[in-house]
Amino acid sequence: MKNIFIQGSIAASFIGESIAKHQSKTDIGAHAIFLGQVRADVIDGQPVSRIDYTAYEDMALQKVHEIREAAFDKYPLTCMHIYHSLGSVGVGEISFFVFVSSAHRAAAFDALREIVDAIKADVPIWGKEIFAEGQGSWKVNQ
Amino acid sequence: MIHLLAFGMIADVLEHPEKDWPWSADTAMLRAALIKAYPELRDLPFVIAVNMDVAGGEQPIPPGATVALLPPYSGG
């Protein structure tokens, strides 16, 4: 099963290199990319300084595999790459990267949204929002 | 026995995220036993995965299963 986890934040250079790797795949006409960035929420007056991510890794990889297969069955995609951070990611840094490619834009747009929503709903990953003072509170997804 | 895993805020309550725990025949009985040992769990939302399977509703637990306590996910 493909690993999706990256320790710490996902660097902009890693995302750029991922895009560059597709130049040889000339049947692709459209890429769609989602990047999740850690937001400086203020909770009970305390600003968030980072999120610490943990996961039930074995189950998460199994769930992502199912989501990936379902998307390939439903949409004419050329390829799909999914990455999520584990450990600490500071505000303003990237923690979630989904990249889908297809011949035409409609499949890439539609699949991207479905994959991102499914990962947030069905994959056992947790974020703890850590305040500048050190305490934290468990993140609740919207 | 079962192999018990806890994540997120549930791991905070159990102190150890991974431990051996007496076997219960199904997830409803396990939940009751856990709440008896850790009363704070009564007010926390979590689902129980048996060997990585989160069934809708309660499910049986085979002896020796890996059972995970999963609070609402918050990835992304």
Side-chain angles (χ1 to χ4, degrees):
Chain A
M1 214 150 331
K2 243 180 171 168
N3 189 24
I4 66 160
F5 290 113
I6 288 178
Q7 202 62 40
S9 67
I10 300 169
S13 56
F14 178 84
I15 296 162
E17 284 156 20
S18 297
I19 296 168
K21 280 180 192 162
H22 291 75
Q23 286 170 357
S24 59
K25 296 189 177 181
T26 52
D27 52 341
I28 292 172
H31 297 302
I33 289 175
F34 177 84
L35 299 173
Q37 173 167 302
V38 173
R39 193 174 50 240
D41 275 347
V42 177
I43 300 169
D44 297 331
Q46 298 194 84
V48 169
S49 68
R50 67 172 204 267
I51 293 180
D52 287 355
Y53 288 101
T54 53
Y56 183 4
E57 292 185 45
D58 291 345
M59 183 175 165
L61 295 181
Q62 176 63 43
K63 285 283 165 196
V64 169
H65 177 75
E66 291 167 18
I67 291 166
R68 186 192 300 273
E69 295 297 304
F72 272 121
D73 284 348
K74 186 169 174 185
Y75 298 100
L77 301 175
T78 312
C79 57
M80 181 189 319
H81 304 278
I82 298 168
Y83 299 96
H84 198 291
S85 293
L86 284 182
S88 284
V89 182
V91 296
E93 295 184 320
I94 302 298
S95 61
F96 184 26
F97 171 30
V98 180
F99 182 1
V100 296
S101 310
S102 57
H104 303 283
R105 69 186 182 285
F109 279 140
D110 293 349
L112 180 72
R113 187 184 183 113
E114 201 166 300
I115 293 161
V116 169
D117 288 351
I119 288 171
K120 291 188 78 114
D122 299 331
V123 178
I125 300 172
W126 296 272
K128 189 172 195 177
E129 294 168 310
I130 309 295
F131 306 122
E133 285 76 19
Q135 271 93 14
S137 85
W138 289 99
K139 178 171 173 268
V140 179
N141 273 359
Q142 302 291 309
Chain B
M1 299 295 276
I2 57 170
H3 189 55
L4 187 68
L5 306 176
F7 295 92
M9 62 178 70
I10 307 298
D12 289 352
V13 173
L14 264 58
E15 292 153 305
H16 298 284
E18 195 171 347
K19 61 173 89 185
D20 289 329
W21 186 263
W23 175 73
S24 295
D26 65 32
T27 51
M29 291 169 72
L30 175 64
R31 186 181 289 268
L34 286 165
I35 288 173
K36 200 170 174 193
Y38 300 97
E40 293 157 89
L41 291 180
R42 189 185 302 277
D43 302 320
L44 297 177
F46 65 95
V47 297
I48 299 177
V50 178
N51 292 328
M52 301 202 298
D53 184 22
V54 183
E58 306 300 343
Q59 55 174 325
I61 301 175
T66 295
V67 177
L69 312 180
L70 312 177
Y73 307 152
S74 55

